Amino acid sequence: MADSILSKVSSGVMVITLNRPDKLNSMNRPMAKAFLDALETARDDDAVRCILITGEGRAFCAGQDLAEAAGQDDGGVAPPIASLVAESYNPIASLLMALEKPVIMAVNGVAAGAGANLALLGDLVLVSEKASFMQAFIHIGLIPDTGGTWTLPRMVGMARAKAMTFLGEKLSAKEAVELGLVYAMESPEDLLPTATKLAKQLATRPTRGFGLTKRALHASMTNTFDEQLEVERELQAAAGDTHDYKEGLDAFLNKRSPEFTGR
Ligand code: T3D
């Protein structure tokens, strides 16, 4: 059986491919565990300075493998939903949110259920013209998970978040761009080359600066303005301590291109 998660590091970029195309890359427990392992490696390996996540075949990810959820993989014994969320989706979502390196999602096709909310956890989300997003949960009586109840109202406002999650309709790639849910749309042929080029660029830039920027932006979601100014003071001090800041300053003053090392 092929590995359900493929990962490869090149030019500072770890490309993680969700690889169960015959099941539209829906996630079962072994796949979620392998995905989490790959993300932990990406987080801990200093050689990885950007992460690019995409799906094999015609889908990005159709969310939870519903055959597994129904117990079909385990002699009719369905795993407790709480354990699927606690052991798979919550750790994946937490890790991605806290990961202080840029994460690019290249959404090649349908992203449904947990797969849709996984895609929205990217820092830069690029979509193919063939991509679509579907808050499919309600069709089987569930609620959005993988952080969707947190990200969606913040990204599109409460009214649209309710419409998307109550109706569970397919949102096209074009609609996702228009709503500001994703960064950019590419033709299916250009998606991966464009995402890879962008990932390689980001992998040569100040990695710590990205991480601290991400931390500051996320903190703003719950802070008052004054609290956020304090966060900026603290994190700017940390950024100012990096080797990349010294390099950027020196390069500017000496009219040369900087060589950032991510330290
Ligand atoms: O216990 C818990 O569930 C807790 C965790 C919850 C997290 C969640 O993610 S809940 C939401 C789970 N996902 C869904 O409800 C989406 C289900 N899939 C669909 O609605 C449709 O497949 C799509 C809209 C994504 C795509 O439709 P379409 O017409 O392009 O493809 P299809 O024919 O429906 O699917 C193709 C194959 O993939 C098919 O298998 P087959 O018949 O060719 O052998 C289908 O069964 C399989 N597939 C698609 N999604 C899943 C799946 N198999 C297992 N699990 C899936 N989620």
Side-chain angles (χ1 to χ4, degrees), residues 73-86:
D73 294 355
D74 212 4
V77 182
I81 289 193
S83 77
L84 289 177
V85 175

Side-chain angles (χ1 to χ4, degrees), residues 56-147:
E56 181 62 38
R58 72 176 175 91
F60 176 73
C61 173
Q64 168 63 36
D65 180 327
L66 295 178
E68 180 192 61
Q72 288 178 9
D73 294 355
D74 212 4
V77 182
I81 289 193
S83 77
L84 289 177
V85 175
E87 288 159 27
S88 299
Y89 301 107
N90 279 2
I92 289 169
S94 294
L95 199 151
L96 281 167
M97 278 296 276
L99 214 169
E100 295 209 342
K101 296 176 182 180
V103 178
I104 296 177
M105 297 285 178
V107 184
N108 50 302
V110 64
N117 293 335
L118 168 68
L120 299 179
L121 289 171
D123 299 312
L124 297 177
V125 183
L126 272 65
V127 293
S128 149
E129 286 161 357
K130 287 189 176 167
S132 58
F133 292 85
M134 192 175 168
Q135 295 293 322
F137 307 88
I138 199 65
H139 297 309
I140 53 171
L142 293 183
I143 70 154
D145 59 19
T146 318

